[in-house]
Each structure stands twice: as C-alpha cells, then as structure tokens.
C-alpha cells in the first residue's frame, strides 16, 4: 500500500521498490514506475499500484481418483506480475488518492484465476489415477501437470502474470481411507515387532538354556571331581591304615622280641638267683649240720626272739617261773 500524506490540498505519494505506481493526470500518464515519490492533486489524479514482488499462493482443493476416492491436494504457486502495465489494464489496481488503499480486490482475482487453473489440471490428472498410485507417485505427476498447465494458460501472460514455481505439498485421502490404508502397514510393522520380540525371547531362552547347560556341566564336573577326591581320600586313608598297621606290626615284633629278651634275662637271673640261694642254703645247712646243738638252740632262740612281738613289760608269777626253771633244768640234763 502506498504511503500518501496531505499538504494544503496537495497529496504526496511515496511507494515501495516492490510496487509499480502509475499516475494519470487528466487522462495523460504523468508518472509510471516502481519506487516513485511525487506530489499530485487528488481531484485530477488517477492512481494505480501493482505489486511486482514474488507472491506465494497456498491452495487446497478436493479431487477424486479413478477409483472414486476423495483426496485433498495441498499446493503452493509462486508468481509475480512481470508486466504491471498489462495487469493494470486488465485488472483494477486503482487506489484511493487519500488513503492509498485498493478500491477493488485485484489480488483475489489473481488468486482465483491461478487456483482454478491449477485445480483444473490437477483434477484432470487425478481423475485418471487410482488412489494407490496417486498417494505413491501423484505428487510429482500433479506438480508437473499443474506447472505445464499454468505455463500454457494464455490468459496469464495476457494479464502480465509469470508463474515462478509450483510445489505440491501433499495428497491426502479421507481420514477413514487413510486409516484403512495404514492398517496393513501397521499390522506388518506390528508383526515385525512381534517377530523381533519373539526372536529376542528365543535368544534369551537359548541363552538361559546354554547357561543352564553350563551350570549342569559345571555341577557334573564338580561332582566328578568330588568323587575323585573322595576316592583319593579313601586311598590315602587306606594307605595310612596299611602304613600304621605295618608300623604297629613292626612295633609289636620289636616289643615281643624285647619281651622275649627280658623274659630270658629274667629267667637267667632267676636261675642264677635260685642257684645262688640253693648254694647259700646248702652252705647254711652244712654249717648248721656241723654246729653244736647248744649253739643251734641259742640261734633258734635268737631267731625266735627276733620274730616275737615287742613286749614293753613282762610279769612273771612264781608258778610260771618255777615251771620255766624246771624245763630249763630238764633240758640241760638231757
């Protein structure tokens, strides 16, 4: 929109570099160009402003495929007015000399023209394309057909419009159809996920089985080694017992030999002692046989006295003394 200011019945217009302004004064072109700035009288001036910058036109329209499925096409057309003079001649780009606002809606007319032209060519392509192909490869086909159709549209160059680019953003089916189309892929993805889960579980089970087998093999090996250890311990114990028995036999034989030697020594000692006692007894008897009877009596009395118990006091009555003296006297006589 042009910037218009007021000064004492005059108006001053200042446009932007992307706006082409045409000023007619009394039917004669006074100013014509982009980025102009000038004074004018509003009662005798006819102004028009045509934007010459690139403009984006987003459009969305419904179409139907050859298998009678509704789809929504989202596209964007980039255009610019390359010949503002022709556009000003064909469309109403006039502005109010007091406010600088367009009197009509020229850009809406251009949008309608571009949208209907693009929609016509897109519908023509999709009407001969099944839904699956339209969703898979329809974006490129629709973009190419719309671009060719806009380039071949004679009204656009006549209006001074140049199409810069065409982009088709997406082709979408109805929500119910989209959900139905997603179901097989989702089912396949779910099956892949389930298969991956089962494979992971199978791997886990296989690993657990391998671990269990390793543990069992370890236990069997441990039991075998324990068995060998018990057998070795029994062998060692039996060997120790045999060695102890052999040692006991050696000790018993040595003890028996020592006992035999002691018994022989004792027997020899006893025999020698008996012989000595016998010799002493014989000598004693021989001495006593050759001794005087009175001496023998005295020795007998002495021996008897040695073997009698100790008598602290002795009381002799006259009768006992008399009897003793009488015996002693008989003994001496005999």
């Amino acid at each position: 929109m042009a910037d218009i200011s007021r000064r004492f019945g005059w108006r001053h217009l200042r446009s932007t570099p992307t706006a082409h302004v045409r000023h007619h004064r009394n039917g004669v072109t006074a100013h014509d160009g982009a980025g102009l700035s000038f004074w004018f009288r509003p009662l005798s001036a006819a102004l028009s402003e045509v934007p010459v910058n690139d403009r984006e036109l987003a459009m969305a329209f419904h179409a139907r495929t050859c298998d009678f499925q509704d789809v929504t096409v989202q596209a964007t057309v980039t255009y610019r007015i390359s010949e503002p003079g022709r556009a000003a001649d064909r469309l109403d780009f006039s502005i109010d000399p007091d406010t600088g606002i367009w009197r009509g809606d020229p850009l809406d007319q251009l949008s309608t023209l571009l949208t209907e032209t693009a929609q016509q060519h897109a519908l023509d392509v999709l009407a001969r394309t099944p839904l699956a192909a339209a969703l898979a490869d329809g974006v490129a086909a629709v973009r190419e057909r719309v671009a060719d159709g806009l380039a071949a549209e004679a009204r656009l160059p006549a209006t001074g419009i140049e199409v810069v680019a065409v982009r088709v953003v997406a082709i979408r089916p109805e929500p119910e159809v989209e959900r139905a189309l997603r179901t097989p892929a989702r089912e396949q993805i779910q099956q892949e996920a389930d298969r991956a889960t089962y494979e992971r579980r199978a791997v886990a089970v296989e690993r657990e089985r391998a671990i269990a087998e390793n543990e069992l093999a370890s236990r069997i090996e441990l039991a075998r080694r324990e068995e060998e250890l018990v057998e070795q311990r029994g062998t060692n114990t039996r060997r120790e017992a045999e060695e102890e028995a052999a040692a006991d036999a050696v000790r018993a034989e040595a003890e028996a030999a020592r006992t035999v030697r002691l018994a022989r020594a004792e027997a020899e000692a006893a025999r020698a002692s008996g012989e000595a006692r016998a010799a002493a007894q014989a000598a004693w008897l021989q001495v006593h046989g050759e001794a005087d009877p009175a001496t023998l009596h005295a020795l007998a009395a002495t021996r008897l006295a040695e073997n009698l118990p100790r008598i602290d006091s002795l009381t002799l009555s006259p009768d006992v003394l008399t009897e003793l003296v009488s015996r002693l006297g008989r003994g001496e006589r005999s």
Side-chain angles (χ1 to χ4, degrees), residues 8-79:
F8 305 108
W10 287 80
R11 302 289 186 270
H12 183 270
L13 181 145
R14 184 174 66 244
S15 65
T16 62
T18 58
H20 184 95
V21 177
R22 176 182 290 184
H23 173 212
H24 291 272
R25 184 172 55 237
N26 296 326
V28 178
T29 302
H31 299 90
D32 188 6
L36 299 180
S37 178
F38 55 88
W39 289 92
F40 66 94
R41 287 185 179 273
L43 296 179
S44 61
L47 302 174
S48 62
E49 183 183 21
V50 181
V52 294
N53 59 324
D54 291 350
R55 307 185 73 86
E56 300 285 342
L57 175 60
M59 58 185 71
F61 49 87
H62 293 279
R64 179 169 294 182
T65 61
C66 66
D67 49 359
F68 304 102
Q69 298 297 324
D70 292 334
V71 294
T72 300
V73 181
Q74 296 178 355
T76 301
V77 175
T78 303
Y79 71 95

Side-chain angles (χ1 to χ4, degrees), residues 50-176:
V50 181
V52 294
N53 59 324
D54 291 350
R55 307 185 73 86
E56 300 285 342
L57 175 60
M59 58 185 71
F61 49 87
H62 293 279
R64 179 169 294 182
T65 61
C66 66
D67 49 359
F68 304 102
Q69 298 297 324
D70 292 334
V71 294
T72 300
V73 181
Q74 296 178 355
T76 301
V77 175
T78 303
Y79 71 95
R80 66 185 179 91
I81 301 176
S82 59
E83 298 182 14
R86 287 189 178 185
D89 293 339
R90 299 292 297 272
L91 299 174
D92 184 12
F93 282 95
S94 62
I95 60 175
D96 189 287
D98 292 327
T99 61
I101 300 175
W102 279 316
R103 297 179 184 272
D105 296 320
L107 296 182
D108 290 344
Q109 295 178 10
L110 287 179
S111 299
T112 301
L113 175 62
L114 292 172
T115 301
E116 290 179 352
T117 304
Q119 183 176 357
Q120 177 183 355
H121 294 288
L123 293 177
D124 187 31
V125 173
L126 293 175
R128 296 192 299 270
T129 306
L131 177 62
L135 296 179
D137 303 321
V139 172
V142 170
R143 180 178 64 250
E144 182 179 356
R145 181 61 181 274
V146 170
D148 294 341
L150 291 176
E153 181 66 30
R155 186 180 175 184
L156 297 180
T159 314
I161 300 173
E162 179 185 356
V163 176
V164 178
V166 176
R167 298 187 303 276
V168 177
V169 180
I171 298 177
R172 296 184 179 277
E174 294 295 324
E176 296 81 4

Side-chain angles (χ1 to χ4, degrees), residues 203-219:
V203 171
V205 171
E206 182 65 22
R207 290 179 178 176
E208 291 179 357
R209 185 184 63 80
I211 293 173
E213 289 181 355
N214 292 335
E215 291 180 353
L216 181 59
S218 299
R219 292 180 180 177

Side-chain angles (χ1 to χ4, degrees), residues 55 197 263 297 317 327:
R55 307 185 73 86
T197 302
H297 289 164
S317 63
R327 289 184 179 180

Side-chain angles (χ1 to χ4, degrees), residues 241-259:
E242 292 175 354
E243 292 179 355
E244 289 180 359
D248 291 340
V250 172
R251 285 194 296 270
E253 291 178 359
E255 185 67 23
R258 189 176 65 84
T259 303

